[in-house]
Amino acid sequence: MSKLIITGRRKLRGEAVVQGAKNSALPIIAASLLTKGENLIFNCPQLSDVEASCDILRYLGCRVERIDRTLLIACDAPDKNDIPDELMRRTRSSIVFLGAILARMGRARLSFPGGCEIGSRPIDIHLSALREMGAVIRERHGYLNCHAPKGLRGRKIPLPFPSVGATEDIMIAACLASGTTTIINAAREPEICDLADYLNKCGAHIYGAGEGTVVIDGVGSLRGAAHTVMPDRIAAATLLCCGAVTGGELLLRGAVPSHLGAVLPLLEKAGCELSVLPDGVGLRAPEALKAPGVVRTMPYPGFPTDAQAPFMALGAVARGTTVFIENIFENRFLHASELCRMGACIRTEGRVAVIEGVERLYGAKVEARDLRGAAALVIAALCAEDETRLGGVCYLERGYESLEQTLSSLGADIRKI
Ligand code: EPZ
């Protein structure tokens, strides 16, 4: 198992290009199953979660080739409608294939996606929506057996929670359904807009993505298209935190300020000087950070749950008290105990974490247990005294493309062994 060795207290300085968004590439790869003809997906990040989704498409009979950060995908004749357990378990987000396989093949058999480190990750909203559209879904022996005897039909679907994955799953399934589907209380994340942009390039009729109500007029078929994946707003937020805790000065090319509407004000509150440029965001950190105060994670455009862990590392060394209320996932403070091993002063109770900023963190042997928690430990290690040995690097590689190279190019003392 590889480890990252980080020696902290080096200011980060320079420019970095923000990677393509993992949480946009994944649903787009699944949605490409609906199309005939070639797709060219540009700016697709090289991540293990993305490779897992590509392997699912290959298993289903599609042609997927990667040339650097471009995927060439052709799904002219998929010949399977199931996803075996070992493929399902490699990434949580494979549930978004359910709508795609059902829409293209008329039936689907997926193993139940297990929970993961940050929560039980139920899929009840996905299943009730697809049933509403005419799917018959039986859950047996850990498998979902689904078929749509009369095809999928457009329906009005109010969501009890603006679930990102469920919104994506329904949008994808609705593209080839007969009639119009209206999703009410849909997720508004930018990744939803990116998926809709891609699907509309393929010939879909999707309106209102990014707002609370999304309307999809079903069409007969979709053809492959070329699309560039949007920049990853969470990777951008993570790099900004790296700059902030090291008293550094960064320019992130490709960061989209409007995607960071709830994140940038917190960095300013912490004392960072931010500049919004035509093609990115600049940050100049103060010598000492101030605590950002109370932070509630919320559906977009609120503060993103994926940025909670990186910001907890920032709060650990910011003067004052930071409080996180994690409203999205029930178990997303796994990184707190590892940060405490580095000298942080954090107490968690249920969905609340209270962080008293300390003068200094100290390098330690720490273990990541989920993707964003791994990022938090890297951020803490960058400003800690001495050396940190971080295990669980595989979690980092699920969502961050060669983070150690990027940080090293900005002046960090970081290496993988
Ligand atoms: C997506 O997960 C992202 N993953 C997550 O990013 C992100 O944290 C999350 O959205 C929230 O923004 C991808 O896009 C691949 P949800 P998803 O459905 O779709 C509950 C990362 O670190 N829920 O919006 O699974 C659920 O339990 C990952 O990049 C149901 O109850 O998130 C959770 O409490 C982690 N029933 C809440 O909704 C359902 O059927 C939000 O889940 C579905 C969800």
Side-chain angles (χ1 to χ4, degrees), residues 22-23 121-125 163-165 306 328 332 372:
K22 165 178 85 81
N23 291 348
R121 311 296 290 275
I123 57 170
D124 55 305
I125 302 175
S163 155
V164 171
D306 294 347
I328 307 295
R332 202 163 196 180
R372 305 303 174 185

Side-chain angles (χ1 to χ4, degrees), residues 113-138:
C116 69
E117 311 77 17
I118 61 176
S120 58
R121 311 296 290 275
I123 57 170
D124 55 305
I125 302 175
H126 295 247
L127 301 186
S128 56
L130 293 172
R131 284 181 171 123
E132 185 60 30
M133 295 172 75
V136 176
I137 303 177
R138 280 196 204 85

Side-chain angles (χ1 to χ4, degrees), residues 73-326:
I73 300 174
C75 304
D76 295 317
D79 54 8
K80 292 197 188 69
N81 55 38
D82 71 302
I83 302 183
D85 199 49
E86 67 276 8
L87 278 178
M88 270 304 279
R89 287 184 183 278
R90 277 173 55 188
T91 164
R92 263 278 324 162
S93 55
S94 30
I95 185 63
V96 81
F97 274 91
L98 178 56
I101 298 174
L102 212 44
R104 180 71 191 264
M105 312 300 282
R107 59 178 49 245
R109 186 168 186 275
L110 278 67
S111 78
F112 219 91
C116 69
E117 311 77 17
I118 61 176
S120 58
R121 311 296 290 275
I123 57 170
D124 55 305
I125 302 175
H126 295 247
L127 301 186
S128 56
L130 293 172
R131 284 181 171 123
E132 185 60 30
M133 295 172 75
V136 176
I137 303 177
R138 280 196 204 85
E139 301 161 44
R140 276 236 191 328
H141 313 301
Y143 268 82
L144 293 167
N145 296 290
C146 322
H147 69 289
K150 301 193 188 75
L152 294 172
R153 293 183 309 279
R155 279 281 183 277
K156 182 177 280 192
I157 298 179
L159 298 187
F161 180 87
S163 155
V164 171
T167 302
E168 293 164 346
D169 215 358
I170 300 161
M171 269 170 61
I172 292 170
C175 283
L176 299 182
S178 56
T180 297
T181 300
T182 303
I183 308 173
I184 296 161
N185 191 28
R188 302 160 182 249
E189 272 71 3
E191 292 77 15
I192 303 282
C193 302
D194 210 28
L195 174 62
D197 288 351
Y198 162 69
L199 283 166
N200 283 338
K201 285 175 187 168
C202 298
H205 295 164
I206 302 174
Y207 314 96
E211 290 143 41
T213 300
V214 180
V215 177
I216 306 103
D217 287 334
V219 295
S221 66
L222 295 181
R223 61 188 177 284
H227 182 76
T228 300
V229 173
M230 62 175 257
D232 192 313
R233 60 195 169 99
I234 305 302
T238 304
L239 287 171
L240 290 169
C241 287
C242 294
V245 301
T246 58
E249 190 167 346
L250 294 186
L251 174 57
L252 293 191
R253 295 236 178 269
V256 179
S258 62
H259 292 170
L260 294 161
V263 167
L264 299 182
L266 287 187
L267 289 166
E268 284 175 329
K269 200 172 170 186
C272 297
E273 261 177 68
L274 292 171
S275 41
V276 170
L277 308 166
D279 68 339
V281 172
L283 172 137
R284 185 198 299 253
E287 276 312 310
L289 291 164
K290 294 192 294 288
V294 180
V295 184
R296 289 174 180 77
T297 64
M298 298 298 278
Y300 195 87
F303 185 85
T305 174
D306 294 347
Q308 175 256 111
F311 267 78
M312 187 182 284
L314 182 151
V317 291
R319 265 204 321 273
T321 303
T322 305
V323 178
F324 282 100
I325 297 147
E326 175 50 70

